Amino acid sequence: MRCVRPGRAPSLRGVRLNGQVLILDADDTLWENNVVFERVIDDYLDWIAHPTLDRAAVRGILDDIERANAVTHGYGTKVFLQSLAECFEKLRERPATAAERDRIEELASALIHHEVELIPGVAETLDELGSRHELMLLTKGDREEQQRKIDASGVAHHFREVHIVPEKHVEVYRGLAAARMLAPESTWMIGNSPKSDIRPARAAGMNAVFIPNAHTWVLEHDELDEADERVLKLGSFRELVQHF
Ligand SMILES: [Mg+2]
């Protein structure tokens, strides 16, 4: 993967592309998401204040629980609350009392009532991109929770289609390409997650735009092929208009 420069990438040829299909990720690409979870985890670690384990050790235990729960229960606030309660039980070697469960919910109230915070430049950029390209939204997680965020975002009208899936495997991308007869060379997956956006889209033959978010969840990290010239890496969402 590298920054595409004029003359280096046959897919861009140094000119702005027109008439592409742009599939956009939502959490941590259009709006902040994981940073809100991170703030809750910080408060939780303060509250747990384990007598022998340091914060990193407790965080490691929580990450393992979240990783396992993601496989069986998917993503979202509900499963996150469950992971916090399970982590408590493991550390204290007893289940949380009703009052302790209430406390955990209170710590996560920012998530439960979270208002969508668009990443700077997203609204204007979608306006411009939507005038030249076909935009689709592809997000994973709890259907109801994701839909609520999409409705609250104020940018849903830009997307011809919205897909909410439990997990973003390569089959999801292949299925979408086949169902919508998308030409891989003019289809781009745009997102912050190497694991859920970039790698599976590339495996399905699409191009990808990687826009890292400083707060990307550790479970979304993955290796990317630095030499892959069909991955465009950008520093911000706004930069998309320079290429599309
Ligand atoms: Mg994301």
Side-chain angles (χ1 to χ4, degrees):
M1 179 198 62
R2 63 187 56 170
C3 292
V4 177
R5 295 181 188 89
R8 295 204 58 178
S11 58
L12 286 181
R13 292 191 194 92
V15 296
R16 201 168 65 187
L17 295 166
N18 268 312
Q20 307 285 296
V21 176
L22 307 182
I23 307 172
L24 290 117
D25 168 53
D27 289 340
D28 296 316
T29 296
L30 301 183
W31 52 73
E32 297 291 359
N33 181 67
N34 194 55
V35 69
V36 188
F37 283 83
E38 292 293 337
R39 288 178 201 137
V40 175
I41 291 172
D42 269 346
D43 292 345
Y44 175 84
L45 295 177
D46 289 342
W47 175 65
I48 286 278
H50 197 273
T52 53
L53 297 175
D54 65 11
R55 291 174 78 88
V58 175
R59 180 64 197 259
I61 291 168
L62 178 61
D63 286 346
D64 289 343
I65 292 170
E66 288 205 82
R67 196 172 285 115
N69 279 340
V71 174
T72 43
H73 304 296
Y75 303 92
T77 298
K78 217 166 109 184
V79 63
F80 177 62
L81 286 170
Q82 186 182 327
S83 295
L84 294 178
E86 279 177 31
C87 184
F88 180 97
E89 184 166 347
K90 192 174 170 100
L91 293 169
R92 297 287 167 89
E93 297 173 331
R94 64 166 174 82
T97 63
E100 285 159 347
R101 279 184 174 268
D102 284 351
R103 180 69 187 130
I104 292 171
E105 281 207 17
E106 207 180 299
L107 290 170
S109 68
L111 277 174
I112 297 163
H113 306 291
H114 185 55
E115 285 178 16
V116 172
E117 185 188 324
L118 286 185
I119 285 170
V122 162
E124 312 87 273
T125 303
L126 287 177
D127 262 340
E128 197 173 334
L129 292 177
S131 69
R132 297 193 286 269
H133 306 280
E134 187 180 317
L135 309 185
M136 293 166 74
L137 190 71
L138 175 61
T139 179
K140 73 172 181 186
D142 177 77
R143 176 167 293 278
E144 213 174 281
E145 185 170 14
Q146 294 309 96
Q147 189 62 54
R148 207 169 59 226
K149 287 188 274 187
I150 293 164
D151 293 342
S153 71
V155 296
H157 61 284
H158 290 295
F159 300 100
R160 199 190 72 169
E161 291 182 15
V162 171
H163 296 270
I164 303 173
V165 295
E167 188 64 89
K168 284 154 104 174
H169 295 306
V170 61
E171 290 78 18
V172 166
Y173 291 89
R174 287 201 185 110
L176 195 57
R180 298 294 176 267
M181 293 189 289
L182 304 176
E185 64 278 8
S186 56
T187 301
W188 299 74
M189 179 64 206
I190 300 168
N192 71 298
S193 170
K195 175 176 165 272
S196 299
D197 302 318
I198 311 306
R199 287 182 60 118
R202 288 293 298 117
M206 296 174 182
N207 307 292
V209 182
F210 178 39
I211 309 177
N213 180 307
H215 303 289
T216 294
W217 192 21
V218 61
L219 267 59
E220 296 296 335
H221 294 180
D222 206 346
E223 294 295 313
L224 289 179
D225 177 4
E226 295 287 328
D228 186 351
E229 297 207 332
R230 287 178 65 193
V231 178
L232 172 63
K233 185 178 179 182
L234 299 182
S236 74
F237 196 85
R238 279 197 182 95
E239 290 175 30
L240 281 167
V241 297
Q242 296 165 19
H243 301 276
F244 296 96

